[in-house]
Amino acid sequence: MVNRVTKMKAVRRQVRKEGPLVEVRMPTSERVKAVAAIRTTGAQVVESQKNDLSSKSCALCLGIGNNLSEGTEMMDQALRRAVNQKIPVILDGAGLDSCEQSRKLAEHWLSQQAVTVLKGTPSEICSLMATPLIMEEEAEILAELSKLSQNYHTTVVMTGKVAYVVIDRYYWKLSTTDITLEEREAMGTGLIAAYLAVTGEIIACLDGLSALEGAVKVCQTSNRTADYEEILEAL
């Protein structure tokens, strides 16, 4: 049986060889970071609202943020196009815990079973739960993430000191370094989107998280600051 590391390496080679197109529809602040991360993988990016290449995209990287005036109509169009083309969609949770309108729009998209991967911080993910909880025990965390995954028929990725990837009743986890950066969240979303373009959601999520964590560790071992620019260079 091929182990996970071997699969991840194969996926990374495939992305560099094929250069798949990833459409990115996110608020400007998150989009810049996600796009930069995607490009480190060898994948190509579709950003322009008028770019005809959108119809050839292999994955959609979607984020609402907390400013709904910034292109939600274009996001809706991109999501419908992705559903029609049957390409994977990753939804970044930035803004869901601070903007009720953003959360309701995300819930609408999720209820349509249009989202392949939902990714967010504990606060962002908990904002989508029927009864948001302060989760401390791992069993409780996994039970709630499993419910969310089953309710919306999506893979849930919750980041933090321990990152969880949950689909239905199955889960994977990855210990991460204790560094909190908003930019890091957007970069992780971009990396997962790039790998989603060529493989299934479980390997894509684990590969994206592992690639980001590897870059952070490279920065730490070389006594670099592990800020956005340094992490990007290490990718």
Side-chain angles (χ1 to χ4, degrees):
M1 181 179 292
V2 180
N3 65 32
R4 195 174 77 192
V5 174
T6 301
K7 287 182 179 179
M8 288 180 181
K9 289 180 178 178
V11 167
R12 295 181 191 189
R13 287 195 297 269
Q14 186 177 354
V15 172
R16 293 201 177 280
K17 179 180 179 181
E18 298 180 5
L21 285 170
V22 178
E23 184 172 2
V24 180
R25 300 294 177 211
M26 304 173 80
T28 303
S29 57
E30 286 87 17
R31 184 175 69 244
V32 170
K33 311 300 188 304
V35 166
I38 290 169
R39 285 178 172 152
T40 67
T41 68
Q44 303 175 67
V45 178
V46 179
E47 286 187 271
S48 172
Q49 296 176 354
K50 298 180 180 180
N51 199 320
D52 293 336
L53 291 175
S54 295
S55 62
K56 299 179 182 179
S57 297
C58 299
L60 171 62
C61 185
L62 195 61
I64 304 170
N66 53 20
N67 181 5
L68 268 68
S69 65
E70 197 170 340
T72 55
E73 183 178 345
M74 289 296 177
M75 292 180 188
D76 269 320
Q77 291 175 2
L79 184 62
R80 287 196 297 270
R81 185 165 55 245
V83 170
N84 290 336
Q85 295 173 194
K86 298 181 179 180
I87 64 172
V89 176
I90 179 169
L91 175 60
D92 186 89
L96 302 188
D97 57 344
S98 58
C99 178
E100 184 177 1
Q101 288 178 297
S102 296
R103 179 179 55 76
K104 287 183 176 179
L105 180 56
E107 288 174 338
H108 172 65
W109 287 342
L110 287 161
S111 69
Q112 294 179 319
Q113 299 181 20
V115 176
T116 311
V117 175
L118 167 66
K119 175 183 170 292
T121 64
S123 177
E124 292 160 357
I125 296 297
C126 284
S127 72
L128 293 166
M129 294 178 178
T131 307
L133 300 172
I134 298 176
M135 299 180 291
E136 296 180 353
E137 298 296 328
E138 183 172 77
E140 181 185 13
I141 293 171
L142 292 171
E144 293 301 321
L145 295 179
S146 178
K147 288 179 186 177
L148 197 63
S149 174
Q150 292 176 62
N151 287 344
Y152 291 125
H153 299 274
T154 189
T155 296
V156 180
V157 177
M158 189 173 79
T159 58
K161 290 183 180 179
V162 177
Y164 295 96
V165 178
V166 179
I167 179 168
D168 200 358
R169 294 181 177 86
Y170 302 94
Y171 74 92
W172 294 257
K173 64 179 182 178
L174 176 70
S175 295
T176 63
T177 48
D178 188 15
I179 295 177
T180 302
L181 287 173
E182 291 184 8
E183 295 92 339
R184 180 175 174 171
E185 292 300 323
M187 293 169 77
T189 301
L191 290 170
I192 293 173
Y195 298 131
L196 272 176
V198 299
T199 191
E201 55 265 35
I202 298 302
I203 289 296
C205 292
L206 293 172
D207 205 358
L209 294 172
S210 297
L212 184 59
E213 181 62 17
V216 171
K217 288 182 177 178
V218 166
C219 292
Q220 291 180 326
T221 55
S222 57
N223 295 319
R224 290 149 69 183
T225 57
D227 60 13
Y228 162 66
E229 297 292 345
E230 296 286 2
I231 293 173
L232 188 63
E233 184 178 341
L235 284 170

